[in-house]
Amino acid sequence: MTSREDSQQPGASAQTPDNTDNADNADNEFTTLKYSLLGPSLLKAGQDKVDQSKVSEIIYNASKGSKFFNREEVRDKVLTEKIERIKIRKAALEKQDLTRETRNADRLISELETSRDLTQTIVHVDCDAFYASVELLDRPELKDVPFAVGGGVLTTCNYVARQYGCRSGMAGFVAKKLCPNLILIKLNFDKYNAKAQEIREILATYDPRFQSASIDEAYLNITEYCKDNGTEPAEAVDQMRREVHEKTRITVSAGIAANAKLAKICSNLNKPNGQYILPCDRVSIMAFMRDLETRKVTGIGRVLERELSEIGIKTCGDIYGQRHLLNPLFGDKTSEFLFRCYLGLGRTKIQPAEEYERKSVGTESTFREMSDPKQLREKLRRTAEDLEKDLKRAECKGRTLCLKVKLHTFEVYTRQIVVPKTIWLADDIYNYALPMLTKLEQEMPRLRLRLMGLRVTHLVSTKKPDTMAFFGFRSRSTDGSGQSDGGVKRKASDDEGDWEQWPEDEFQSGEGEDAPEDSALNTEGDDSDSPRRSHGKEIVPNPNPMPQEERWDCPICSRPQPTSERLFNEHIDLCLSRQTIRDAVQADGSSIPRDVGLGAKRPRMVEKKKGRPRTVDPKQRQLFFG
């Protein structure tokens, strides 16, 4: 491409200012679109030395003219128009007296500062290219060869492939253009889940209440572990990482900080197979956040990054200088979120993922373009059956049903209905979802879909109360490991409130690092219709690091007893003697008249109350309940 100066040859007409502005706008439009096409995994580890301009050019040329490209182009134009409105609004605000806004921002920052907790040590553990690392155990000959796991869309790739610009969420044919020698390996979730369980068992020895964020990452609070073992956090995490590698042959990286948000950021700084510790003091945290790019903060995606960049905020340290503009431009929730980013604040409460309140249960699948009404109804029926299985595992039913579809143009539409009764059966789900699908077909003739999903919200639990546990007995529904037979795999992505996630209507924060369906050119079919539908975001109950003591259940009272024959026999004799006495008393009691004997109730003497007699209004009618 020739520069504008080179194009000004003798005899050529000079460009007018209007033409120059139009050219600049066109160049800027292509620049922002190319940046958007890089996807949400731009900051994945191993991308530091990659020429992203070259990668974006290849993606641009490979996808140009496709339906996905056209959709992204429309979205980029919409975002550009929105940013122009923000800039106009900013220019108008700068001409006003914003002393009040500055004072309110300072007050909010002071209030948030009081919530800072520096007493906890939080660790974020992230496996290095997990799927690829597991596959490498079976195929060590691929160690120095670029390969990726996935088909139509890459779920992950090894660090050799990342040097070419390949990353998760990228279409397979685009990755092939970046790296022609790339080898693609099919997914095997049974293998990944088994290896993940081995890692979880090790993590549980450091924090039994660790929180799984996905199949390959977790949050731990090692404050008590360090205190009990007299060790420093860095030493404890290094020991944990060595133990994971020795027992599973998988390397993990870790971030150590005062809260989960900072730990998540730090875990990506020394990948692969490294760790980064951020001192738990305010000065170090503020200095760390001052130079941190906004995009590296969980919750800030491509859209908000562009909006902030246009008003002069490129790092978290820039937020303070523009604090008076944030609330008028973005609203209360977004401005508070950005102030938290500036201060480096985050949550310190770490608990098992299954303890979080579940807000919805849903399932969706991507497929080749489908327009036949009969096929669409068959797909809706299968989706309803999958949702019924998920609801049974989650032991709940819902009052609101939502249908989600993605058109062949990558446009997403949702419809929902409040049903007259709680539903969980596939027949009910299908019968209520079918009218919504039919209405979409009427609104959009020749409807062509590439994704369909169903979700149930406003959940009601169907779990039966455990009467044995209520009366102090051991639950009959648990096994030796203490896990319930109905232990449900909970999908983190099913919850509206993910880790450190903010409302989507305020700004786009749902751009997770592994979002292949929405962020890639998925032109090929996938195996979403396979019997085992997995995506790596399932969350299973934490393993119990301490083996439970074996107990024998008493056949009389069902209470668990020590595994000692002498003590067990003595307890049974005691239970039998109690039962014999109880039976004899009941037999004797049934032959004694109720109005005779020592057990007869005597009439209760009612003492008269002293003081003024109670006056009763004759117009008032006394009511008796009884």
Side-chain angles (χ1 to χ4, degrees), residues 174-390:
V174 174
K176 281 282 190 179
K177 289 185 179 295
L178 291 170
C179 180
N181 298 325
L182 183 70
I183 298 175
L184 297 179
I185 301 177
K186 291 185 178 180
L187 288 160
N188 187 337
F189 276 101
D190 290 331
K191 189 192 301 184
Y192 310 147
N193 284 324
K195 185 61 67 174
Q197 184 62 22
E198 296 178 20
I199 298 175
R200 290 191 188 102
E201 291 175 356
I202 298 173
L203 299 183
T205 61
Y206 291 84
D207 179 13
R209 292 181 54 77
F210 75 90
Q211 176 180 315
S212 294
S214 68
I215 192 174
D216 64 339
E217 60 178 322
Y219 293 94
L220 298 85
N221 187 333
I222 61 171
T223 307
E224 292 299 324
Y225 178 88
C226 294
K227 184 186 300 182
D228 296 341
N229 293 273
T231 181
E232 293 297 321
E235 180 183 352
V237 174
D238 187 61
Q239 172 186 322
M240 176 176 61
R241 291 175 45 249
R242 285 199 311 270
E243 188 175 350
V244 169
H245 184 250
E246 291 171 359
K247 295 183 178 180
T248 67
R249 295 185 294 164
I250 298 294
T251 62
V252 298
S253 299
I256 312 167
N259 58 62
K261 182 186 288 292
L262 296 176
K264 169 76 172 177
I265 298 171
C266 293
S267 66
N268 203 46
L269 297 182
N270 276 338
K271 272 183 166 287
N273 195 23
Q275 65 185 51
Y276 184 94
I277 181 169
L278 178 61
C280 294
D281 62 81
R282 185 182 183 278
V283 175
S284 299
I285 293 173
M286 294 297 292
F288 177 80
M289 298 303 295
R290 182 179 61 244
D291 301 324
L292 186 71
E293 298 175 16
T294 56
R295 181 68 181 274
K296 293 186 177 181
V297 178
T298 305
I300 298 182
R302 291 169 289 178
V303 174
L304 185 57
E305 178 196 21
R306 270 192 62 190
E307 294 175 353
L308 294 176
S309 177
E310 292 294 340
I311 65 171
I313 299 178
K314 299 185 182 298
T315 67
C316 292
D318 297 333
I319 293 175
Y320 186 78
Q322 306 290 341
R323 65 191 184 283
H324 56 290
L325 297 173
L326 297 181
N327 190 281
L329 292 177
F330 299 105
D332 295 338
K333 292 183 179 180
T334 305
S335 59
E336 181 178 337
F337 168 75
L338 293 173
F339 291 149
R340 287 181 175 275
C341 294
Y342 162 72
L343 295 172
L345 300 178
R347 61 187 177 87
T348 57
K349 182 179 180 181
I350 305 299
Q351 63 186 34
E354 61 268 20
E355 292 184 8
Y356 284 90
E357 180 184 2
R358 189 161 191 165
K359 299 179 181 179
S360 65
V361 178
T363 181
E364 64 183 40
S365 60
T366 307
F367 41 83
R368 294 182 182 274
E369 287 184 17
M370 187 182 299
S371 59
D372 182 30
K374 183 179 180 181
Q375 292 181 347
L376 291 175
R377 280 152 180 76
E378 291 175 355
K379 172 62 69 174
L380 183 65
R381 166 64 69 175
R382 290 197 297 270
T383 307
E385 292 171 352
D386 291 338
L387 182 55
E388 178 186 351
K389 296 174 184 176
D390 290 344

Side-chain angles (χ1 to χ4, degrees), residues 34-35 38 42 50-61 167 178:
K34 289 178 180 179
Y35 182 75
L38 286 171
L42 175 62
V50 177
D51 185 357
Q52 298 297 344
S53 61
K54 177 183 177 182
V55 175
S56 65
E57 191 70 29
I58 293 176
I59 296 176
Y60 181 88
N61 294 327
R167 59 179 72 100
L178 291 170

Side-chain angles (χ1 to χ4, degrees), residues 61 63 155 254 492:
N61 294 327
S63 58
T155 58

